[in-house]
Amino acid sequence: MAKVLMKGNEALAEGAIRAGCRHFFGYPITPQSELAAYMAKRMPKIGGTYLQAESEVSAINMVYGASAAGVRVMTSSSSPGVSLKGEGISYLIGADLPCLIVNVERSGPGLGGIQPSQGDYWMSTRATGHGDGHVLVLAPNSVQEMADFAAKAFELGDRFRMPAMILADGLLGQMMEPVELPEELDLADLPEKPWALTGTKLEREHHIANSLAMEPQDLEDMVLSRRERYRLIKATEQKCEQIMVDDAEVVVVAFGAASRIALSAVNAAREQGIKAGLIRPITLWPYPVDAVKAAAQHAKAFLSVEFSTGQMVEDVRLAVNGKCPVNFFGHTGGIVPDPSEALEAIKLSLERADSGEDFEILPFESKLGLDGSFGKPQAYAERTA
Amino acid sequence: MDAHNMNILLAGFGGQGVLFAGKLIASSALIDGLEVTWMPSYGPEMRGGTCNCSVCLSEKPIGSPLVTEPDVLVALNKPSYLKFVDAIKPGGICLIDQSLIDVCPERSDIQFVAIPATKISEDNDLQTLANVILVGQLLKLTGFSTVEVLEQAIEHSVSAKHTDLIAPNKMALKIGYNAVNQADCK
């Protein structure tokens, strides 16, 4: 099929429809709104449901209901809206219900701004809602992957009976790139859900979708059986892309849009004879621990590049486990780092590899002369305003 | 200028068709089989403020889609020109709508091209198509694609509700292609 030029938000919407999603519940928010708008246009034409709820909380509870009924269902929002969905996501986890949640991140905290960010890494991988549970988290880094990952997320979610999240950001949502749209799945071929609440027809016991368990022993059994599933997922579903890692002295780790900036920096470093490589986590939960561990056997230093003040860097440190320094470079507030800045951080990582100490570079620190030497925060702000 | 590995920044006021001009370039690159990214500025600046978009053309996979040091700047108003002219890479091109920007650059290390795109559009009854006129001129300056491919790109990019605008867009493209640099800088 010929490629078409599409925005990431629209490509993700079309990808979800082709993966058999016929139910969308959402509430508008920048920079995600094109996704909902696309669904509003398409769903009525294909016998699907598009419903703009009165709030994000309502939308996620509508997802709960549709998921319990056994259909492929999704919601999408941006950071503040995903916070609101937190309670419902926890209930979905507790009731073992699959669904797709899309977060096209903007900068925070609070209302923050509408420009790209990765400040929801912790929220996504640690605690999307209260309690002792996880959601699967996938991180696309191109419009092609925005289109492709909806099907992956639905497949994983259905297989493990748990919510799956696609963690994107304003850059990936707003950008246009050529995309080859995935094959359309036949609704009849979607996996059967024998647990779904489809009506007993007086032929079987009724099914229950519920997260309430008042008896501690019952609840512990449920949580532990879920934990067993998590263990299996961590063992089998870690995914990442590795570029020039085999001989790398400095291994850059970056996901999503930040990995695009990091790749430009790694390529520039190689042109200057610096052995840099890139590990790009595709699954953020489960985290690709094995790939990072393996690279730590030969790397002199790691560098995490993020659109935040440093969140995923902690997972890199856990995996590297003290074998070498794990440094951090990032911008926040919606400012997208320039590859030239990331290149400087790569060079600094190599220079200071023998020190055994980690360093962090944030523009404010550079301005104060605490670290690095290339910070011009005002210039960056003007450039990207 | 390596026209198949080129980073372009288009900038102007919201409503001047900056994003559409970028989309035409991106669509032509798609037809030509190049790697391409199109990244708009988004947010409150759309409402009458300045608006810009980054278009990266490449024969290799594209890393960052944001253009901070353009090979080519296409400026449709003076604030955008002033904001970005110093960011152009040495040896790069600065293309401006001379009807709206009355300047000469202080830099001598860039190719400066000025065509009165807005005036040309009005003289030819092609109001609001100064953006496409500038794309036509950029095509001639760099050869990033061909007129035929750009015409296809126009057919793909003009919305189905406005097919009557395809012919004027094609005309604007050709007029822009044939326009003569009127930069008069000593």
Side-chain angles (χ1 to χ4, degrees):
Chain A
M1 183 189 266
K3 287 188 176 182
V4 289
L5 204 58
M6 272 178 120
K7 278 194 165 194
N9 282 332
E10 295 168 343
L12 204 164
E14 182 60 32
I17 288 170
R18 288 172 182 236
C21 178
R22 291 293 180 277
H23 297 80
F24 178 96
F25 306 102
Y27 188 81
I29 182 170
T30 306
Q32 161 276 164
S33 294
E34 292 86 357
L35 204 170
Y38 191 91
M39 289 298 195
K41 223 188 300 177
R42 283 274 277 137
M43 281 299 195
K45 291 181 186 156
I46 53 173
T49 301
Y50 167 86
L51 200 153
Q52 182 175 318
E54 73 272 29
S55 77
E56 286 86 349
V57 179
S58 293
I60 192 71
N61 283 294
M62 291 171 186
V63 168
Y64 185 111
S67 176
V71 297
R72 284 196 163 174
V73 55
M74 71 178 287
T75 184
S76 67
S77 191
S78 179
S79 307
V82 179
S83 289
L84 282 168
K85 291 180 197 293
E87 181 200 45
I89 295 171
S90 178
Y91 280 53
L92 282 150
I93 295 170
D96 297 314
L97 292 174
C99 65
L100 170 59
I101 301 147
V102 177
N103 182 359
V104 183
E105 288 168 284
R106 53 190 264 178
S107 47
L111 272 177
I114 58 172
Q115 300 300 325
S117 165
Q118 298 181 327
D120 301 348
Y121 180 87
W122 281 337
M123 178 168 82
S124 312
T125 60
R126 297 300 192 276
T128 349
H130 63 275
D132 208 356
H134 279 291
V135 299
L136 295 148
V137 186
L138 304 180
N141 86 335
S142 64
V143 174
Q144 184 65 54
E145 289 191 347
M146 292 287 267
D148 292 341
F149 280 16
K152 268 186 214 288
F154 277 121
E155 189 275 321
L156 285 169
D158 284 349
R159 181 145 51 96
F160 294 107
R161 279 189 69 178
M162 60 190 285
M165 176 179 280
I166 292 180
L167 189 64
D169 61 67
L171 195 148
L172 291 167
Q174 297 294 325
M175 175 169 63
M176 280 204 289
E177 283 185 315
V179 53
E180 187 172 345
L181 291 168
E183 291 286 310
E184 178 131 29
L185 299 183
D186 192 328
L187 294 184
D189 293 339
L190 297 181
E192 284 186 31
K193 295 177 179 173
W195 47 263
L197 283 64
T198 52
T200 66
K201 302 187 183 76
L202 299 177
E203 289 167 3
R204 59 162 169 82
E205 288 293 303
H206 64 276
H207 294 158
I208 298 172
N210 183 25
S211 64
L212 183 68
M214 293 297 282
E215 189 58 48
Q217 191 57 56
D218 291 348
L219 186 51
E220 184 174 63
D221 289 349
M222 281 166 63
V223 172
L224 288 182
S225 89
R226 206 171 288 127
R227 187 171 179 277
E228 200 48 34
R229 240 182 301 154
Y230 292 165
R231 195 192 53 75
L232 178 67
I233 293 167
K234 285 181 186 174
T236 59
E237 302 301 331
Q238 296 178 25
K239 293 230 163 27
C240 68
E241 182 184 13
Q242 302 197 47
I243 298 169
M244 299 181 286
V245 172
D246 285 348
D247 66 337
E249 294 181 340
V250 179
V251 176
V252 181
V253 188
F255 69 94
S259 70
R260 304 281 295 255
I261 314 300
L263 179 61
S264 292
V266 165
N267 284 332
R270 285 275 170 176
E271 279 170 22
Q272 297 181 18
I274 299 165
K275 287 182 179 170
L278 176 68
I279 294 180
R280 173 175 76 93
I282 292 171
T283 54
L284 299 181
W285 195 92
Y287 195 73
V289 175
D290 296 345
V292 176
K293 261 187 188 164
Q297 298 303 321
H298 57 78
K300 290 182 177 172
F302 281 75
L303 174 71
S304 187
V305 177
E306 305 172 48
F307 300 175
S308 73
T309 54
Q311 299 192 8
M312 181 187 69
V313 64
E314 294 188 352
D315 280 332
V316 182
R317 287 196 181 117
L318 281 171
V320 170
N321 202 14
K323 282 203 173 349
C324 63
V326 179
N327 308 315
F328 173 78
F329 163 67
H331 269 283
T332 181
I335 294 174
V336 174
D338 197 89
S340 63
E341 299 172 271
L343 175 61
E344 291 303 316
I346 290 172
K347 289 180 183 170
L348 208 58
S349 292
L350 195 56
E351 277 170 30
R352 298 196 189 172
D354 294 333
S355 73
E357 299 278 328
D358 301 335
F359 67 79
E360 297 192 340
I361 299 177
L362 286 155
F364 190 59
E365 292 178 1
S366 305
K367 189 183 177 188
L368 294 179
L370 296 179
D371 214 334
S373 57
F374 51 86
K376 289 180 196 157
Q378 193 51 40
Y380 300 143
E382 283 169 11
R383 200 168 55 203
T384 53
Chain B
M1 183 70 56
D2 177 358
H4 286 168
N5 295 282
M6 185 164 71
N7 294 330
I8 306 164
L9 187 63
L10 303 108
F13 286 125
Q16 280 186 301
V18 168
L19 301 185
F20 183 80
K23 198 175 166 189
L24 280 187
I25 297 168
S27 299
S28 73
L30 173 70
I31 297 167
D32 287 328
L34 292 174
E35 300 283 341
V36 57
T37 58
W38 173 96
M39 179 72 204
S41 60
Y42 63 92
E45 68 266 33
M46 297 261 181
R47 303 193 189 115
T50 57
C51 166
N52 67 71
C53 88
S54 297
V55 179
C56 301
L57 311 180
S58 179
E59 287 163 329
K60 288 188 280 187
I62 296 165
S64 173
L66 279 185
V67 175
T68 50
E69 292 178 341
D71 297 300
V72 177
L73 171 67
V74 181
L76 282 78
N77 68 9
K78 196 166 176 182
S80 299
Y81 167 83
L82 293 173
K83 187 171 173 182
F84 295 117
V85 66
D86 289 338
I88 300 170
K89 271 191 193 150
I93 295 172
C94 179
L95 170 61
I96 66 163
D97 182 346
Q98 197 182 32
S99 311
L100 304 175
I101 312 171
D102 55 339
V103 289
C104 280
E106 289 174 12
R107 298 179 59 173
S108 58
D109 60 342
I110 54 173
Q111 185 186 353
F112 183 69
V113 180
I115 61 167
T118 297
K119 179 163 189 307
I120 295 172
S121 72
E122 287 163 357
D123 291 350
N124 290 279
D125 202 19
L126 295 169
Q127 279 84 353
T128 75
L129 288 174
N131 58 339
V132 181
I133 289 170
L134 287 163
V135 170
Q137 178 69 195
L138 182 64
L139 178 62
K140 186 173 78 177
L141 288 172
T142 64
F144 68 85
S145 187
T146 63
V147 172
E148 293 70 33
V149 167
L150 256 296
E151 287 185 336
Q152 280 184 52
I154 287 171
E155 287 163 16
H156 292 172
S157 304
V158 172
S159 91
K161 285 182 200 154
H162 298 291
T163 47
D164 55 315
L165 294 177
I166 290 176
N169 270 274
K170 288 183 178 176
M171 192 193 281
L173 182 79
K174 283 189 179 144
I175 291 174
Y177 188 90
N178 293 319
V180 178
N181 181 10
Q182 305 202 355
D184 185 19
C185 301
K186 295 278 147 50

